[in-house]
Amino acid sequence: VVNDELLKPGGAFPIHHHNDVEIFSYVLEGDMTNKDANGVSKRISEGSCYHVTCGEGTHFAEANLGEKVCRYIQVLGGMQDDPHGGLPRLYQDASIYISGVHLAI
């Protein structure tokens, strides 16, 4: 599943559950805050990404606490066999730079 999401300022997806899925999100515009079930919040800025391996299950919420619209692409896919015992993991230390592709005819 690939979603192109828009979150207006003050908008949010309340805390919700995912399991047995990989979630990759890339913020195209604005900022998003991800809050996990333990109350830990992380801000994901424009041009940054985060990746969640949901394993046996995790809960989190996404919100736009900024002053402009947040646009992000989110990809959800099924998990392969998990060598880490099914524990949820979150990765959001990487920035991704996407360049335009020009086709020569």
Side-chain angles (χ1 to χ4, degrees), residues 24-27 44-45 47-51 91-96:
F24 175 84
S25 300
Y26 176 71
V27 179
I44 299 95
S45 300
S48 295
C49 68
Y50 69 96
H51 170 232
Y91 310 94
Q92 62 186 62
D93 295 330
S95 289
I96 292 181

Side-chain angles (χ1 to χ4, degrees), residues 24-85:
F24 175 84
S25 300
Y26 176 71
V27 179
L28 297 164
E29 300 173 31
D31 297 308
M32 179 192 336
T33 299
N34 184 296
K35 184 175 182 180
D36 69 20
N38 297 318
V40 177
S41 293
K42 299 287 183 180
R43 182 174 164 223
I44 299 95
S45 300
E46 185 173 311
S48 295
C49 68
Y50 69 96
H51 170 232
V52 180
T53 297
C54 296
E56 294 174 350
T58 188
H59 292 80
F60 60 90
E62 296 149 329
N64 180 355
L65 304 179
E67 296 181 5
K68 67 179 195 175
V69 170
C70 174
R71 179 176 176 217
Y72 62 101
I73 302 294
Q74 193 167 68
V75 180
L76 292 89
M79 290 179 59
Q80 302 297 319
D81 291 336
D82 188 358
H84 300 286

